[in-house]
Amino acid sequence: MAESLDQTGLLCDPFYETRAPLGRDNKGNPWVLPGQLILAHQVYPPAKPMVIEVQGYDPRDTSKNSYVFKKYNPSNPPPSHFPAKELNLRSDENLYVMQGKLRPAVVLQTITTDYYNLQNPEPYVWVAPCFTFKEKHRQQYRCRIAAMQFPHLFYVPGHPNGFAEEGVLRFEHIQPVAAAGVQPIFVNGRQNFLADAAWAVLQQRLHMFVTGKVLDQSLEDTLQAYAACLLEAYGLR
């Protein structure tokens, strides 16, 4: 097994911190904040869209409804169908099939929007999912991730006050999750967060990924020096 690459103490000491629980809203959804570590139900779009096509629908007897799982064919898209009330599916909408799981993540932002429903606003959490390293990830590749050589990958160390294992936040899989689909991570009755310094580094890297521009030049100089030290330590320079 590859050795840990955690040298984040040179940048952020500590990398994580714990805070008192934030409680829940009047609908039972947990309050969460940017920089918080959570578990979230997240999905991954397949290479080719998959849909559940409505082939038969009887609003008076749902036992007569029929559906077919199939690949979406742009030259022969699913036909329009009767609105499916129990699925909250409009006549011009499809049910898409995607893989997913309850996965650790970092909260990037929260929002409650009334764009769809003025009377019943919907709370969402925008999250960056965390993936752990696998045997296929060689030490050299892991080191380059830790040294911030890939704009879409952000290394996070394993720690009792943070994620259980070292891993990577994958910016290409950032997505919204309904507030009911997230759970705060607790340690001894307290909730886990990135420390302020680590949160600043994450924002720096995310801004670079989205815009291709540096957010804070002084911090960027520090990150470049950190990356050079890490690459040299592992013989990659």
Side-chain angles (χ1 to χ4, degrees):
M1 181 175 294
E3 63 179 296
S4 172
L5 293 165
D6 183 17
Q7 301 295 329
T8 53
L10 299 174
L11 275 178
C12 318
D13 189 14
F15 196 89
Y16 302 108
E17 65 184 26
T18 63
R19 302 179 191 172
L22 300 172
R24 294 179 178 270
D25 64 20
N26 56 11
K27 293 185 178 180
N29 299 319
W31 290 111
V32 294
L33 291 173
Q36 186 168 357
L37 277 58
I38 60 169
L39 297 174
H41 289 280
Q42 297 167 83
V43 296
Y44 326 115
K48 295 184 178 180
M50 306 291 293
V51 298
I52 297 178
E53 185 176 312
V54 180
Q55 291 204 328
Y57 182 71
D58 186 341
R60 296 167 299 182
D61 186 355
T62 56
S63 66
K64 296 180 180 180
N65 296 348
S66 60
Y67 309 91
V68 175
F69 173 71
K70 61 191 304 185
K71 291 182 180 179
Y72 182 89
N73 183 352
S75 63
N76 184 28
S80 60
H81 51 81
F82 285 107
K85 184 176 180 180
E86 70 275 12
L87 299 176
N88 196 29
L89 192 68
R90 297 181 179 182
S91 61
D92 61 346
E93 293 180 330
N94 299 309
L95 280 177
Y96 287 85
V97 180
M98 291 181 280
Q99 292 178 303
K101 65 183 291 186
L102 186 65
R103 179 177 291 281
V106 171
V107 176
L108 299 178
Q109 189 54 275
T110 64
I111 185 68
T112 297
T113 175
D114 62 0
Y115 183 85
Y116 181 74
N117 191 323
L118 293 173
Q119 284 70 45
N120 188 26
E122 302 165 305
Y124 288 98
V125 183
W126 195 41
V127 305
C130 181
F131 290 70
T132 55
F133 290 119
K134 302 296 186 282
E135 289 297 326
K136 65 182 178 181
H137 298 127
R138 296 186 177 182
Q139 187 76 2
Q140 184 181 63
Y141 179 68
R142 300 184 190 198
C143 181
R144 292 193 180 280
I145 292 175
M148 305 181 200
Q149 300 297 288
F150 304 99
H152 62 295
L153 303 175
F154 184 82
Y155 174 82
V156 288
H159 191 275
N161 291 336
F163 291 118
E165 301 178 60
E166 66 176 352
V168 180
L169 300 183
R170 294 181 60 181
F171 293 164
E172 75 273 27
H173 279 300
I174 288 173
Q175 60 189 266
V177 179
V182 306
Q183 305 170 21
I185 296 177
F186 285 86
V187 172
N188 297 323
R190 294 174 64 82
Q191 295 178 349
N192 294 8
F193 288 77
L194 296 179
D196 288 345
W199 175 238
V201 174
L202 174 56
Q203 291 180 83
Q204 177 88 351
R205 297 300 298 165
L206 181 58
H207 187 271
M208 176 68 78
F209 171 69
V210 173
T211 70
K213 298 179 180 179
V214 172
L215 181 63
D216 181 317
Q217 188 59 55
S218 177
L219 177 55
E220 186 64 22
D221 292 343
T222 299
L223 297 183
Q224 292 297 324
Y226 170 78
C229 289
L230 197 58
L231 292 172
E232 184 174 353
Y234 285 90
L236 297 177
R237 285 190 60 130

